[in-house]
Short mmCIF file of all heavy atoms in Angstrom, two decimals:
data_model
loop_
_atom_site.label_atom_id
_atom_site.label_comp_id
_atom_site.label_asym_id
_atom_site.label_seq_id
_atom_site.Cartn_x
_atom_site.Cartn_y
_atom_site.Cartn_z
N THR A 1 34.76 29.22 41.05
CA THR A 1 34.57 30.27 40.05
C THR A 1 35.57 31.40 40.22
O THR A 1 36.12 31.93 39.26
CB THR A 1 33.14 30.82 40.14
OG1 THR A 1 32.21 29.74 39.98
CG2 THR A 1 32.89 31.86 39.07
N GLU A 2 35.83 31.78 41.47
CA GLU A 2 36.81 32.83 41.72
C GLU A 2 38.20 32.41 41.27
O GLU A 2 38.95 33.20 40.68
CB GLU A 2 36.83 33.18 43.21
CG GLU A 2 37.77 34.32 43.55
CD GLU A 2 37.78 34.63 45.04
OE1 GLU A 2 37.01 33.98 45.78
OE2 GLU A 2 38.56 35.51 45.45
N ALA A 3 38.58 31.16 41.53
CA ALA A 3 39.88 30.67 41.07
C ALA A 3 39.97 30.69 39.56
O ALA A 3 40.99 31.10 38.98
CB ALA A 3 40.12 29.26 41.61
N ALA A 4 38.91 30.28 38.87
CA ALA A 4 38.91 30.30 37.40
C ALA A 4 38.99 31.73 36.87
O ALA A 4 39.66 31.99 35.86
CB ALA A 4 37.67 29.59 36.86
N ARG A 5 38.33 32.66 37.55
CA ARG A 5 38.38 34.06 37.12
C ARG A 5 39.79 34.63 37.28
O ARG A 5 40.27 35.39 36.43
CB ARG A 5 37.36 34.88 37.90
CG ARG A 5 37.24 36.31 37.42
CD ARG A 5 36.14 37.05 38.16
NE ARG A 5 34.82 36.52 37.82
CZ ARG A 5 34.05 35.82 38.65
NH1 ARG A 5 34.48 35.56 39.87
NH2 ARG A 5 32.88 35.37 38.26
N LYS A 6 40.46 34.28 38.37
CA LYS A 6 41.83 34.74 38.55
C LYS A 6 42.76 34.17 37.48
O LYS A 6 43.65 34.87 36.97
CB LYS A 6 42.34 34.34 39.94
CG LYS A 6 41.58 34.99 41.10
CD LYS A 6 41.70 36.49 41.08
CE LYS A 6 40.96 37.11 42.25
NZ LYS A 6 41.04 38.60 42.22
N LEU A 7 42.55 32.92 37.13
CA LEU A 7 43.37 32.32 36.08
C LEU A 7 43.09 32.94 34.72
O LEU A 7 43.98 33.06 33.87
CB LEU A 7 43.12 30.80 36.03
CG LEU A 7 43.59 30.03 37.27
CD1 LEU A 7 43.26 28.55 37.11
CD2 LEU A 7 45.08 30.21 37.49
N ALA A 8 41.85 33.37 34.49
CA ALA A 8 41.55 34.10 33.26
C ALA A 8 42.28 35.43 33.23
O ALA A 8 42.79 35.87 32.18
CB ALA A 8 40.04 34.30 33.12
N ASP A 9 42.35 36.10 34.38
CA ASP A 9 43.11 37.34 34.45
C ASP A 9 44.60 37.09 34.22
O ASP A 9 45.30 37.93 33.63
CB ASP A 9 42.90 38.00 35.81
CG ASP A 9 41.47 38.49 35.99
OD1 ASP A 9 40.79 38.70 34.97
OD2 ASP A 9 41.03 38.65 37.15
N VAL A 10 45.10 35.95 34.68
CA VAL A 10 46.49 35.59 34.40
C VAL A 10 46.71 35.45 32.90
O VAL A 10 47.72 35.91 32.35
CB VAL A 10 46.87 34.29 35.14
CG1 VAL A 10 48.23 33.77 34.66
CG2 VAL A 10 46.91 34.52 36.64
N ALA A 11 45.77 34.81 32.20
CA ALA A 11 45.88 34.67 30.75
C ALA A 11 45.82 36.02 30.06
O ALA A 11 46.50 36.25 29.05
CB ALA A 11 44.77 33.75 30.22
N LEU A 12 45.03 36.94 30.58
CA LEU A 12 44.98 38.29 30.02
C LEU A 12 46.31 39.01 30.19
O LEU A 12 46.78 39.68 29.27
CB LEU A 12 43.85 39.08 30.68
CG LEU A 12 43.65 40.52 30.18
CD1 LEU A 12 43.32 40.53 28.69
CD2 LEU A 12 42.57 41.22 30.98
N GLU A 13 46.92 38.86 31.36
CA GLU A 13 48.24 39.46 31.57
C GLU A 13 49.29 38.81 30.69
O GLU A 13 50.25 39.46 30.27
CB GLU A 13 48.64 39.32 33.05
CG GLU A 13 47.77 40.10 34.01
CD GLU A 13 47.83 41.59 33.77
OE1 GLU A 13 48.82 42.07 33.20
OE2 GLU A 13 46.87 42.29 34.14
N ASP A 14 49.11 37.55 30.37
CA ASP A 14 50.03 36.88 29.46
C ASP A 14 49.95 37.49 28.06
O ASP A 14 50.95 37.56 27.34
CB ASP A 14 49.71 35.38 29.40
CG ASP A 14 50.86 34.57 28.83
OD1 ASP A 14 52.02 34.96 29.05
OD2 ASP A 14 50.60 33.56 28.15
N THR A 15 48.77 37.95 27.67
CA THR A 15 48.63 38.65 26.40
C THR A 15 49.42 39.95 26.39
O THR A 15 50.14 40.25 25.42
CB THR A 15 47.14 38.94 26.13
OG1 THR A 15 46.40 37.72 26.12
CG2 THR A 15 46.95 39.64 24.80
N GLU A 16 49.32 40.72 27.47
CA GLU A 16 50.10 41.96 27.56
C GLU A 16 51.60 41.66 27.62
O GLU A 16 52.42 42.39 27.03
CB GLU A 16 49.67 42.73 28.80
CG GLU A 16 50.48 43.99 29.07
CD GLU A 16 50.40 45.00 27.94
OE1 GLU A 16 49.41 44.97 27.17
OE2 GLU A 16 51.33 45.82 27.82
N LEU A 17 51.98 40.59 28.30
CA LEU A 17 53.39 40.20 28.34
C LEU A 17 53.92 39.90 26.94
O LEU A 17 55.02 40.32 26.57
CB LEU A 17 53.56 38.99 29.26
CG LEU A 17 54.95 38.34 29.28
CD1 LEU A 17 55.99 39.34 29.77
CD2 LEU A 17 54.94 37.09 30.15
N GLN A 18 53.13 39.18 26.14
CA GLN A 18 53.56 38.87 24.79
C GLN A 18 53.68 40.14 23.95
O GLN A 18 54.59 40.27 23.13
CB GLN A 18 52.56 37.90 24.14
CG GLN A 18 53.01 37.35 22.80
CD GLN A 18 54.26 36.51 22.92
OE1 GLN A 18 54.43 35.77 23.88
NE2 GLN A 18 55.14 36.62 21.95
N ARG A 19 52.79 41.09 24.14
CA ARG A 19 52.89 42.36 23.42
C ARG A 19 54.19 43.09 23.76
O ARG A 19 54.85 43.64 22.88
CB ARG A 19 51.69 43.24 23.75
CG ARG A 19 50.37 42.79 23.14
CD ARG A 19 49.32 43.87 23.26
NE ARG A 19 48.06 43.49 22.63
CZ ARG A 19 47.00 43.04 23.29
NH1 ARG A 19 47.06 42.92 24.62
NH2 ARG A 19 45.89 42.72 22.65
N GLN A 20 54.53 43.10 25.04
CA GLN A 20 55.76 43.78 25.44
C GLN A 20 57.00 43.07 24.89
O GLN A 20 57.96 43.72 24.47
CB GLN A 20 55.82 43.88 26.96
CG GLN A 20 54.76 44.79 27.56
CD GLN A 20 54.90 44.95 29.05
OE1 GLN A 20 55.90 44.55 29.64
NE2 GLN A 20 53.91 45.55 29.69
N LEU A 21 56.99 41.75 24.89
CA LEU A 21 58.13 41.01 24.35
C LEU A 21 58.27 41.24 22.85
O LEU A 21 59.38 41.40 22.34
CB LEU A 21 57.96 39.51 24.64
CG LEU A 21 58.05 39.10 26.12
CD1 LEU A 21 57.74 37.62 26.27
CD2 LEU A 21 59.42 39.42 26.68
N VAL A 22 57.16 41.25 22.14
CA VAL A 22 57.21 41.52 20.70
C VAL A 22 57.72 42.93 20.44
O VAL A 22 58.54 43.16 19.53
CB VAL A 22 55.81 41.31 20.07
CG1 VAL A 22 55.76 41.86 18.65
CG2 VAL A 22 55.46 39.83 20.06
N THR A 23 57.26 43.89 21.23
CA THR A 23 57.72 45.27 21.06
C THR A 23 59.22 45.38 21.28
O THR A 23 59.94 46.04 20.51
CB THR A 23 56.99 46.19 22.05
OG1 THR A 23 55.59 46.13 21.78
CG2 THR A 23 57.45 47.62 21.90
N GLN A 24 59.73 44.72 22.31
CA GLN A 24 61.17 44.76 22.56
C GLN A 24 61.95 44.13 21.42
O GLN A 24 62.97 44.66 20.97
CB GLN A 24 61.49 44.04 23.87
CG GLN A 24 62.98 44.01 24.20
CD GLN A 24 63.30 43.12 25.38
OE1 GLN A 24 62.39 42.58 26.01
NE2 GLN A 24 64.56 42.96 25.69
N THR A 25 61.48 42.99 20.92
CA THR A 25 62.17 42.32 19.82
C THR A 25 62.18 43.18 18.57
O THR A 25 63.19 43.26 17.85
CB THR A 25 61.49 40.97 19.53
OG1 THR A 25 61.46 40.19 20.71
CG2 THR A 25 62.24 40.21 18.46
N VAL A 26 61.06 43.85 18.28
CA VAL A 26 61.01 44.72 17.11
C VAL A 26 61.99 45.88 17.25
O VAL A 26 62.73 46.22 16.31
CB VAL A 26 59.57 45.24 16.90
CG1 VAL A 26 59.54 46.35 15.87
CG2 VAL A 26 58.66 44.11 16.47
N LYS A 27 62.03 46.50 18.42
CA LYS A 27 62.94 47.63 18.62
C LYS A 27 64.39 47.20 18.48
O LYS A 27 65.20 47.90 17.86
CB LYS A 27 62.71 48.24 20.00
CG LYS A 27 61.39 48.99 20.13
CD LYS A 27 61.23 49.57 21.53
CE LYS A 27 59.93 50.35 21.67
NZ LYS A 27 59.75 50.89 23.05
N GLU A 28 64.75 46.05 19.04
CA GLU A 28 66.13 45.59 18.94
C GLU A 28 66.49 45.22 17.50
O GLU A 28 67.58 45.54 17.02
CB GLU A 28 66.34 44.40 19.87
CG GLU A 28 66.26 44.76 21.35
CD GLU A 28 66.62 43.60 22.25
OE1 GLU A 28 67.06 42.56 21.73
OE2 GLU A 28 66.48 43.72 23.48
N SER A 29 65.59 44.53 16.81
CA SER A 29 65.86 44.18 15.41
C SER A 29 65.96 45.43 14.54
O SER A 29 66.80 45.50 13.63
CB SER A 29 64.76 43.25 14.89
OG SER A 29 64.68 42.07 15.66
N TYR A 30 65.11 46.40 14.80
CA TYR A 30 65.15 47.67 14.08
C TYR A 30 66.51 48.34 14.28
O TYR A 30 67.14 48.81 13.32
CB TYR A 30 64.03 48.56 14.59
CG TYR A 30 63.73 49.79 13.77
CD1 TYR A 30 62.68 49.81 12.87
CD2 TYR A 30 64.50 50.94 13.91
CE1 TYR A 30 62.39 50.95 12.14
CE2 TYR A 30 64.22 52.08 13.17
CZ TYR A 30 63.17 52.08 12.29
OH TYR A 30 62.89 53.22 11.55
N THR A 31 66.98 48.37 15.51
CA THR A 31 68.29 48.98 15.79
C THR A 31 69.42 48.18 15.17
O THR A 31 70.40 48.76 14.69
CB THR A 31 68.47 49.09 17.31
OG1 THR A 31 67.42 49.87 17.86
CG2 THR A 31 69.81 49.73 17.66
N ASN A 32 69.31 46.86 15.18
CA ASN A 32 70.36 46.03 14.60
C ASN A 32 70.51 46.27 13.10
O ASN A 32 71.62 46.19 12.56
CB ASN A 32 70.08 44.56 14.88
CG ASN A 32 70.31 44.20 16.33
OD1 ASN A 32 71.13 44.82 17.01
ND2 ASN A 32 69.61 43.20 16.83
N ILE A 33 69.41 46.55 12.42
CA ILE A 33 69.50 46.87 10.99
C ILE A 33 70.29 48.16 10.80
O ILE A 33 71.21 48.23 9.96
CB ILE A 33 68.10 47.00 10.37
CG1 ILE A 33 67.40 45.65 10.34
CG2 ILE A 33 68.19 47.56 8.95
CD1 ILE A 33 65.99 45.71 9.80
N ASN A 34 69.97 49.19 11.56
CA ASN A 34 70.69 50.45 11.43
C ASN A 34 72.15 50.30 11.84
O ASN A 34 73.04 50.94 11.25
CB ASN A 34 70.02 51.53 12.28
CG ASN A 34 68.73 52.03 11.65
OD1 ASN A 34 68.68 52.36 10.48
ND2 ASN A 34 67.66 52.06 12.43
N PHE A 35 72.42 49.47 12.83
CA PHE A 35 73.80 49.21 13.22
C PHE A 35 74.55 48.52 12.09
O PHE A 35 75.71 48.89 11.79
CB PHE A 35 73.82 48.35 14.48
CG PHE A 35 75.18 47.92 14.91
CD1 PHE A 35 76.21 48.84 15.09
CD2 PHE A 35 75.46 46.58 15.13
CE1 PHE A 35 77.47 48.44 15.49
CE2 PHE A 35 76.72 46.17 15.52
CZ PHE A 35 77.72 47.09 15.71
N ALA A 36 73.93 47.55 11.45
CA ALA A 36 74.58 46.87 10.33
C ALA A 36 74.80 47.83 9.16
O ALA A 36 75.84 47.78 8.50
CB ALA A 36 73.74 45.67 9.89
N VAL A 37 73.83 48.70 8.91
CA VAL A 37 74.00 49.68 7.83
C VAL A 37 75.17 50.61 8.15
O VAL A 37 75.98 50.96 7.27
CB VAL A 37 72.70 50.48 7.63
CG1 VAL A 37 72.93 51.66 6.69
CG2 VAL A 37 71.61 49.58 7.09
N ARG A 38 75.29 51.02 9.42
CA ARG A 38 76.40 51.88 9.82
C ARG A 38 77.73 51.15 9.65
O ARG A 38 78.72 51.75 9.20
CB ARG A 38 76.20 52.32 11.26
CG ARG A 38 77.20 53.35 11.75
CD ARG A 38 77.01 54.70 11.07
NE ARG A 38 75.70 55.24 11.33
CZ ARG A 38 75.43 56.04 12.36
NH1 ARG A 38 76.39 56.35 13.23
NH2 ARG A 38 74.21 56.53 12.51
N LEU A 39 77.78 49.87 9.98
CA LEU A 39 79.00 49.11 9.79
C LEU A 39 79.34 48.95 8.32
O LEU A 39 80.53 48.94 7.95
CB LEU A 39 78.87 47.73 10.45
CG LEU A 39 78.85 47.69 11.98
CD1 LEU A 39 78.83 46.25 12.47
CD2 LEU A 39 80.05 48.41 12.55
N ILE A 40 78.32 48.81 7.48
CA ILE A 40 78.58 48.73 6.04
C ILE A 40 79.24 50.02 5.56
O ILE A 40 80.21 50.00 4.79
CB ILE A 40 77.27 48.47 5.27
CG1 ILE A 40 76.77 47.05 5.55
CG2 ILE A 40 77.46 48.67 3.78
CD1 ILE A 40 75.43 46.75 4.95
N GLN A 41 78.74 51.15 6.01
CA GLN A 41 79.33 52.43 5.62
C GLN A 41 80.77 52.55 6.12
O GLN A 41 81.66 52.99 5.39
CB GLN A 41 78.48 53.58 6.17
CG GLN A 41 77.07 53.63 5.60
CD GLN A 41 76.21 54.66 6.30
OE1 GLN A 41 76.64 55.31 7.26
NE2 GLN A 41 74.98 54.83 5.82
N VAL A 42 81.00 52.15 7.37
CA VAL A 42 82.36 52.24 7.92
C VAL A 42 83.31 51.34 7.16
O VAL A 42 84.43 51.75 6.80
CB VAL A 42 82.33 51.87 9.42
CG1 VAL A 42 83.74 51.70 9.97
CG2 VAL A 42 81.58 52.92 10.21
N ASN A 43 82.90 50.10 6.89
CA ASN A 43 83.78 49.17 6.18
C ASN A 43 83.94 49.54 4.72
O ASN A 43 84.99 49.27 4.13
CB ASN A 43 83.24 47.75 6.33
CG ASN A 43 83.43 47.19 7.72
OD1 ASN A 43 84.52 46.79 8.11
ND2 ASN A 43 82.35 47.16 8.50
N GLN A 44 82.91 50.15 4.12
CA GLN A 44 83.06 50.63 2.76
C GLN A 44 84.12 51.74 2.70
O GLN A 44 84.96 51.76 1.78
CB GLN A 44 81.73 51.15 2.24
CG GLN A 44 81.75 51.60 0.78
CD GLN A 44 82.01 50.46 -0.17
OE1 GLN A 44 81.41 49.39 -0.06
NE2 GLN A 44 82.92 50.67 -1.12
#
């Protein structure tokens, strides 16, 4: 039972890990849009 409980906690940490990865991807994609917009202005 203790081993199963620890593995459940591992799955819970995996949920937080996925949240952090999604947050990082959103921030980078958000910045990439603004970077592309800035390049459009420069090239225009």
Side-chain angles (χ1 to χ4, degrees):
T1 304
E2 183 181 357
R5 186 176 292 110
K6 297 298 181 182
L7 294 179
D9 293 338
V10 169
L12 181 60
E13 294 298 337
D14 197 33
T15 302
E16 175 61 24
L17 173 61
Q18 188 63 38
R19 288 193 177 101
Q20 293 184 10
L21 292 175
V22 168
T23 299
Q24 179 189 356
T25 304
V26 169
K27 289 180 179 179
E28 292 187 7
S29 301
Y30 192 99
T31 301
N32 288 332
I33 292 178
N34 285 311
F35 175 53
V37 171
R38 187 68 61 90
L39 290 185
I40 291 174
Q41 296 173 356
V42 170
N43 288 283
Q44 183 65 46

